């Protein structure tokens, strides 16, 4: 069974641009969560989705948004990029919220904002 | 919100040595997990351990929920154990994980 896949793996953008990252969960998994990892702030929760509904959102500005499609794939979008948005963005999937102990992480997308 | 503190922040070992990593949390939790992040950034689930003790090969973990701490033991360490070890907790019914800052482990040959 294929793991969680994230595309693209690496991305370079300039300030002011916008970016869309994609996450495909493990087949059969319907719950997707996103995290941002930076050297200064560590791993921080962005949002979680289940059955196309956002269940929870972390403390990030409105420039960060996401969605989940009917096939459980998820995208996150960051508009008006800032230098501080440079980070590793990790996606995780699980069967459903009640199976949280079986959450698997993808390899991440490394975003560099110049 | 809940605070998660890990110690030590850095640990350097010789191959074959044993180590103990600690995770303290400031409030009651209904889930605690240990992860290993390899040098390429991949996070791997090690243990789901809200309470009690579990073992998986050379790794074992113990969580004492009433005293709000968890320990990860690594025995006979190998160079492939190098990386960052994270403790993460959940509260309530959310899937939101709150991570500690991690312990960076370096195992030298």
């Amino acid at each position: 069974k294929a793991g969680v896949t994230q595309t693209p793996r690496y991305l370079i953008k300039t300030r002011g641009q916008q970016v869309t990252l994609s996450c495909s969960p493990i087949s059969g998994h319907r719950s997707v969560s996103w995290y941002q990892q930076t050297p200064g702030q560590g791993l921080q929760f962005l949002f979680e989705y289940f059955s196309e509904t956002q269940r929870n959102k972390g403390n990030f500005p409105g420039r960060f948004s996401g969605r989940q499609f009917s096939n459980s794939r998820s995208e996150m979008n960051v508009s008006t990029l800032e230098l501080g948005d440079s980070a590793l963005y990790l996606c995780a999937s699980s069967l459903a919220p009640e199976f949280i102990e079986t959450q698997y992480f993808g390899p991440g997308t490394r975003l560099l904002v110049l | 919100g809940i605070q998660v503190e890990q110690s030590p922040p850095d640990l350097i070992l010789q191959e074959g040595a044993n180590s103990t990593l600690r995770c303290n949390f400031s409030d009651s939790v209904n889930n605690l997990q240990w992860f290993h992040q390899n040098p390429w950034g991949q996070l791997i689930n090690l243990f789901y351990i809200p309470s009690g003790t579990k073992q998986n090969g050379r790794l074992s973990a113990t969580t004492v929920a009433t005293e709000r701490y968890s320990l990860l033991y690594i025995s006979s360490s190998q160079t492939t154990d190098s990386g960052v070890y994270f403790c993460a907790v959940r509260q309530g019914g959310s899937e939101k994980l709150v991570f500690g800052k991690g312990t960076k482990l370096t195992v030298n040959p």
Side-chain angles (χ1 to χ4, degrees):
Chain A
K1 182 184 275 191
V4 179
T5 57
Q6 293 187 244
T7 56
R9 293 293 312 279
Y10 303 92
L11 203 50
I12 300 176
K13 292 285 188 179
T14 56
R15 279 181 299 173
Q17 288 187 310
Q18 75 165 16
V19 67
T20 299
L21 311 182
S22 179
C23 171
S24 293
I26 292 172
S27 177
H29 285 197
R30 295 165 57 202
S31 186
V32 173
S33 299
W34 288 88
Y35 292 83
Q36 181 198 62
Q37 185 176 24
T38 60
Q41 299 300 315
L43 276 154
Q44 293 185 287
F45 172 79
L46 278 160
F47 11 68
E48 63 173 291
Y49 290 90
F50 176 66
S51 293
E52 302 178 65
T53 301
Q54 186 179 91
R55 283 167 42 90
N56 206 349
K57 185 175 181 183
N59 189 24
F60 279 82
R63 299 185 298 106
F64 291 81
S65 62
R67 58 178 174 170
Q68 186 180 34
F69 300 95
S70 58
N71 62 358
S72 296
R73 188 177 70 85
S74 177
E75 288 182 347
M76 65 163 284
N77 184 275
V78 187
S79 63
T80 319
L81 284 165
E82 300 178 359
L83 296 179
D85 297 333
S86 295
L88 176 66
Y89 290 88
L90 291 164
C91 158
S93 78
S94 62
L95 283 167
E98 59 266 35
F99 297 105
I100 53 178
E101 67 271 22
T102 54
Q103 188 177 64
Y104 296 90
F105 280 81
T109 294
R110 291 190 183 274
L111 171 64
L112 176 62
V113 182
L114 301 175
Chain B
I2 191 169
Q3 304 298 312
V4 181
E5 296 184 356
Q6 292 186 242
S7 60
D10 293 278
L11 188 57
I12 300 174
L13 302 173
Q14 287 299 121
E15 204 166 23
N18 302 328
S19 61
T20 300
L21 283 57
R22 187 177 179 100
C23 171
N24 293 331
F25 43 98
S26 61
D27 201 353
S28 59
V29 299
N30 58 9
N31 177 15
L32 186 142
Q33 292 180 258
W34 283 95
F35 294 88
H36 175 222
Q37 188 170 41
N38 65 23
W40 296 273
Q42 178 75 55
L43 270 174
I44 306 295
N45 273 318
L46 295 176
F47 293 103
Y48 166 76
I49 187 164
S51 63
T53 297
K54 290 186 178 180
Q55 181 155 7
N56 184 4
R58 296 181 296 104
L59 274 58
S60 64
T62 295
T63 296
V64 183
T66 53
E67 297 187 23
R68 298 179 185 169
Y69 74 89
S70 183
L71 302 173
L72 178 69
Y73 306 94
I74 305 174
S75 64
S76 305
S77 58
Q78 301 175 357
T79 56
T80 52
D81 295 332
S82 296
V84 182
Y85 290 81
F86 289 100
C87 165
V89 301
R90 280 194 185 89
Q91 291 182 295
S94 170
E95 280 203 51
K96 172 186 175 181
L97 277 169
V98 178
F99 283 82
K101 294 292 187 186
T103 292
K104 184 178 180 181
L105 175 65
T106 302
V107 181
N108 292 321

